[in-house]
Amino acid sequence: MKCKFLICAVAIFLCHQVAWADYKVDVCVYGGSSAGVIAAYTAKKAGRSVLLIEPGKHLGGLTTGGLGYTDIGNKYAIRGLSLEFYRQIGRHYGKFEQWIFEPHVADSLFNDYIQRAKIQVLYQHRLMAAAKENGNIKTITLDANGTTINVSAKVFIDATYEGDLMAKAGVSYIVGREGNEVYNETWNGVQMLHSHQFPDNIDPYKIPGDPASGLVWGISDAALQPKGSGDKQVQAYNHRICLTNDPANMIPITRPENYDPARYELLARLFKAEPGKTKLSDYFIISSMPGKKTDINNKGGFSTDMIGMNYNYPEADYATRANILKSHDDYTKGLLYFCASDPRVPQQMQAEMRSWGYPKDEYKDNNNWTPQLYIREARRMVGAYVMTQANCVGKEVVTDGVGMAAYTMDSHNTQRIVIEKNGKKMVKNEGNVEVGGFPPYPVSYRALIPKAEDCKNLLVPICLSASHIAYGSIRMEPVFMALGQATGVAADLAIASGISVQEVDAAKVSSILKSNPLADGRTGDVLMDNADSLQLEGDWKTEKGKGSYGPDMLTAEKNAKAIFRPYLRKSGQYSIYLYYPHLKSNAAVMQVKMISGKKEYPVPVRKADVKVVGQTSGEWVKLGTFPLKKGTGSAVEISAGSDGEGIVIADAVLWVPEKR
């Protein structure tokens, strides 16, 4: 009898242990964002055991959460698995690559990465604590609906938008804006500029002209601080809104719970102040997506950004964050309903809004509404190196780059306050900055790692080490994926050599990213840019920017020839693409030849045939698919004739193997 009792007790004990079992892996990725999925995939393909932990229910973060109109900056900056993701999006829609897409399409692709690599994912597991030993994270403790789970790993990757693991590990970080003097910048800190701004003379008080009546909803009583001064405030969050105008797939916009039209009083006052603005597109950036859908973003003085309502979010507990998310849900759904129904809204705008609805085939487990808030910025690590404005504009160029960024230094508004101008009180937004015009630049490996005294086995691809204004340029989803891949490679190298992440050779990370861009040994594309060794004849000029692929491009008007001749590592069928910046001054027809040995194939490119889609000024144009031999026997020739009718561009050519 005692023996039976002992056996039962042991069985119960073992079952209890299985339920509470620790996970022990090589690499633990916390955060199932786009960067998190790519980091986990990269490490798993390198032969490491990997655990991916997602606090929510979905993978892909903002890429699956409504941001379908991808912020690119310059396609040249996007390589490796990040670029392959957009190539797969393209294949889904019947193109070579595409940067606009529906949320469920992105979701299926991220899940495909997980399935192909056989990565274990824990959903709805929230970080509670991190235990360190000798400067290394040894274990993290998770809560799974009341159950405590412990995970140990050799290397951890924090791929959250909030930097939660980084913070629990005691890594140095900052929330808010540095003053310009901290890093010798000019666009950080307080900035009251003209874009996404209220016109003058919008009264801020509930009863116009009566301060005693109180401020209209959404206006802070804070005083405007000196230009460039730092604070703890955070740029506004919003939802990137996916709607549809397909009647068969549309759920009408109806009055949401907690609706309060007083929240939109400032918008009503804008209608009176700007009577010529009567269209929906006057107050929202409405980007068309496939499937008769949208990606709607903030525009103007009052729109989808919930300015000043997110300051507590970065360091808040889960319950407080849930409340902030709910307040953004209520505000945004209420805004849509207000625009569709309130009599103060221009009739044309009401009619337009009523033609849209929530898509039945998106976010089916969340009432057809995105669960992802656009966390534009939360914590930012203060790591081994801090990326600043000087890096963005090219005044300081790092030599340990493991990825590139290219977007405008971009910050949304941070506060909505009252100022006095010409003796009159009025409402203004503060914090919006949009400064660009610079080419792609490298992101330092040291910006992805903590200082050695903070932690030795943590990598941070999203909440990386950057000033507020530099982060505004780096913080784009394609860049996060590229940096996620870099951290996956770095984690593998650290484990292989038994060293800290600070001791990993960034040059080796970069070399692996170039030699194994798809992380699985498949042959990569062969890219030639105009900066490579080309055969040039005639008068070619170097033009910086203006929609080029990379920092610059070559242009000519007549009597010029450029030959792109790559080295192909193996023979086979190759599809060849020409990058075509679509400019007003382009020649109507650009004369192009594909050369293979002694054979020549004319493939003229007609301006009228090139359709640019998405946030980009150029497209890859397919010249054809050809059997090519290993070596330098193939080439693409671009020529400008003698007529001089428009410019001809020599920018970039791509050879894509049909079989990898």
Side-chain angles (χ1 to χ4, degrees):
M1 189 73 180
K2 288 183 179 179
C3 182
K4 288 183 178 180
F5 176 80
L6 181 61
I7 291 171
C8 289
V10 170
I12 292 171
F13 174 78
L14 289 174
C15 288
H16 178 79
Q17 290 300 301
V18 169
W20 290 63
D22 291 341
Y23 290 86
K24 296 182 179 180
V25 292
D26 292 329
V27 180
C28 174
V29 181
Y30 184 70
S33 60
S34 58
V37 173
I38 296 301
Y41 180 85
T42 302
K44 187 67 185 293
K45 285 297 183 179
R48 301 298 168 189
S49 57
V50 176
L51 180 66
L52 176 60
I53 302 165
E54 166 49 39
K57 299 179 181 180
H58 303 274
L59 298 178
L62 198 60
T63 298
T64 57
L67 203 166
Y69 194 73
T70 308
D71 299 307
I72 306 169
N74 191 310
K75 293 178 181 179
Y76 179 85
I78 310 305
R79 307 287 176 88
L81 289 171
S82 180
L83 180 57
E84 176 64 12
F85 174 83
Y86 297 100
R87 297 270 171 86
Q88 290 183 78
I89 291 285
R91 285 194 284 274
H92 176 85
Y93 291 112
K95 293 183 63 179
F96 172 52
E97 71 181 34
Q98 183 155 307
W99 303 76
I100 64 170
F101 48 86
E102 299 158 273
H104 74 270
V105 174
D107 182 77
S108 68
L109 289 179
F110 283 122
N111 279 284
D112 182 60
Y113 279 111
I114 296 301
Q115 293 166 10
R116 281 191 283 132
K118 299 180 180 178
I119 297 168
Q120 184 173 10
V121 183
L122 300 181
Y123 292 96
Q124 295 182 278
H125 282 59
R126 290 175 165 179
L127 179 68
M128 304 305 293
K132 286 165 64 179
E133 183 179 304
N134 297 324
N136 290 284
I137 303 171
K138 299 303 291 184
T139 60
I140 61 173
T141 301
L142 309 169
D143 173 70
N145 296 317
T147 300
T148 300
I149 303 292
N150 292 307
V151 178
S152 64
K154 296 173 183 175
V155 174
F156 289 84
I157 298 174
D158 184 340
T160 63
Y161 292 109
E162 298 85 0
D164 286 341
L165 176 54
M166 174 183 78
K168 292 290 187 185
V171 172
S172 303
Y173 67 85
I174 186 172
V175 174
R177 303 180 286 187
E178 300 93 346
N180 273 328
E181 75 281 357
V182 175
Y183 297 117
N184 193 28
E185 297 175 304
T186 57
W187 293 109
N188 210 333
V190 172
Q191 302 283 341
M192 183 170 283
L193 303 175
H194 303 292
S195 186
H196 300 290
Q197 186 58 276
F198 286 92
D200 286 351
N201 301 320
I202 300 292
D203 195 286
Y205 302 112
K206 291 179 180 177
I207 299 176
D210 182 7
S213 66
L215 294 169
V216 171
W217 184 92
I219 302 176
S220 166
D221 61 2
L224 177 64
Q225 298 302 306
K227 181 178 180 179
S229 58
D231 55 33
K232 297 296 183 183
Q233 297 172 354
V234 181
Q235 64 174 305
Y237 300 164
N238 73 342
H239 285 296
R240 296 295 286 259
I241 308 168
C242 181
L243 300 178
T244 182
N245 61 1
D246 180 358
N249 191 36
M250 188 174 73
I251 299 170
I253 294 170
T254 55
R255 182 186 178 103
E257 62 180 3
N258 304 318
Y259 176 67
D260 182 0
R263 291 177 182 153
Y264 315 107
E265 172 63 25
L266 283 175
L267 182 57
R269 294 184 184 187
L270 265 179
F271 295 147
K272 285 186 177 181
E274 302 176 317
K277 293 185 176 182
T278 60
K279 303 190 298 295
L280 207 57
S281 59
D282 289 326
Y283 295 93
F284 301 87
I285 296 175
I286 305 174
S287 301
S288 297
M289 296 296 106
K292 298 182 178 180
K293 295 174 185 170
T294 66
D295 170 1
I296 296 177
N297 197 9
N298 183 81
K299 182 178 183 180
F302 193 101
S303 187
T304 62
D305 278 1
M306 199 173 176
I307 298 171
M309 307 296 181
N310 61 338
Y311 296 162
N312 294 330
Y313 184 92
E315 298 178 291
D317 58 26
Y318 295 116
T320 302
R321 285 183 182 169
N323 289 335
I324 293 172
L325 171 62
K326 182 63 167 62
S327 70
H328 280 74
D329 288 348
D330 291 345
Y331 168 78
T332 311
K333 290 180 179 179
L335 176 62
L336 300 179
Y337 178 70
F338 176 85
C339 291
S341 64
D342 195 282
R344 293 170 291 178
V345 178
Q347 288 296 315
Q348 180 181 354
M349 190 170 169
Q350 287 189 52
E352 284 184 71
M353 182 58 80
R354 287 195 293 268
S355 72
W356 294 97
Y358 305 114
K360 294 178 182 178
D361 61 345
E362 302 289 356
Y363 316 120
K364 293 180 181 179
D365 63 349
N366 199 54
N367 296 316
N368 310 100
W369 179 257
T370 176
Q372 180 64 55
L373 188 60
Y374 193 168
I375 311 301
R376 289 190 170 91
E377 187 175 2
R379 298 181 179 100
R380 301 188 311 280
M381 180 169 62
V382 181
Y385 180 86
V386 180
M387 299 288 293
T388 70
Q389 178 180 325
N391 299 111
C392 299
V393 301
K395 287 185 178 179
E396 185 174 325
V397 181
V398 300
T399 58
D400 63 341
V402 291
M404 286 188 289
Y407 202 75
T408 295
M409 290 185 291
D410 178 271
S411 173
H412 279 234
N413 279 305
T414 301
Q415 57 181 336
R416 180 173 286 148
I417 58 177
V418 178
I419 69 162
E420 185 171 338
K421 184 176 179 180
N422 298 325
K424 185 175 178 61
K425 300 285 189 178
M426 60 191 73
V427 62
K428 291 289 181 181
N429 295 332
E430 183 278 312
N432 188 84
V433 178
E434 298 169 72
V435 178
F438 44 82
Y441 58 92
V443 177
S444 171
Y445 172 70
R446 288 166 292 155
L448 310 182
I449 59 175
K451 291 175 282 192
E453 59 266 29
D454 282 353
C455 190
K456 298 177 182 177
N457 67 334
L458 176 67
L459 294 143
V460 185
I462 291 183
C463 294
L464 69 152
S465 183
S467 72
H468 159 70
I469 199 60
Y471 191 81
S473 171
I474 298 168
R475 62 169 183 85
M476 304 303 154
E477 290 288 293
V479 177
F480 284 157
M481 282 192 263
L483 298 179
Q485 184 174 1
T487 60
V489 170
D492 172 58
L493 292 176
I495 294 168
S497 298
I499 57 177
S500 69
V501 294
Q502 287 81 13
E503 295 172 292
V504 169
D505 183 359
K508 192 167 185 179
V509 175
S510 180
S511 176
I512 291 171
L513 292 171
K514 291 176 182 176
S515 63
N516 189 18
L518 303 180
D520 58 6
R522 287 181 293 161
T523 303
D525 303 335
V526 179
L527 171 68
M528 284 196 75
D529 182 66
N530 62 279
D532 295 322
S533 297
L534 308 184
Q535 296 171 241
L536 299 176
E537 297 178 14
D539 185 19
W540 289 96
K541 297 178 181 178
T542 300
E543 300 273 3
K544 291 187 178 296
K546 297 184 179 179
S548 65
Y549 183 83
D552 52 41
M553 59 188 172
L554 298 176
T555 65
E557 293 186 14
K558 57 183 179 180
N559 300 325
K561 184 185 297 183
I563 298 176
F564 292 74
R565 189 177 297 278
Y567 176 79
L568 302 180
R569 294 183 179 181
K570 66 178 186 179
S571 301
Q573 291 283 121
Y574 286 81
S575 291
I576 303 177
Y577 295 84
L578 173 82
Y579 194 74
Y580 187 90
H582 204 288
L583 308 178
K584 290 182 179 179
S585 55
N586 285 8
V589 180
M590 194 160 80
Q591 300 301 328
V592 181
K593 286 182 187 175
M594 208 327 271
I595 301 169
S596 178
K598 295 182 179 180
K599 295 182 179 179
E600 295 185 355
Y601 306 90
V603 278
V605 176
R606 293 173 173 81
K607 179 179 180 179
D609 295 339
V610 181
K611 306 299 181 185
V612 178
V613 178
Q615 199 177 116
T616 177
S617 57
E619 287 285 345
W620 289 108
V621 176
K622 187 173 183 179
L623 303 180
T625 301
F626 306 91
L628 303 177
K629 293 183 179 180
K630 176 181 176 181
T632 58
S634 68
V636 169
E637 177 186 296
I638 300 170
S639 59
S642 59
D643 54 18
E645 295 181 3
I647 65 168
V648 170
I649 299 171
D651 195 354
V653 179
L654 191 63
W655 285 258
V656 180
E658 291 293 291
K659 292 184 179 180
R660 297 184 184 270

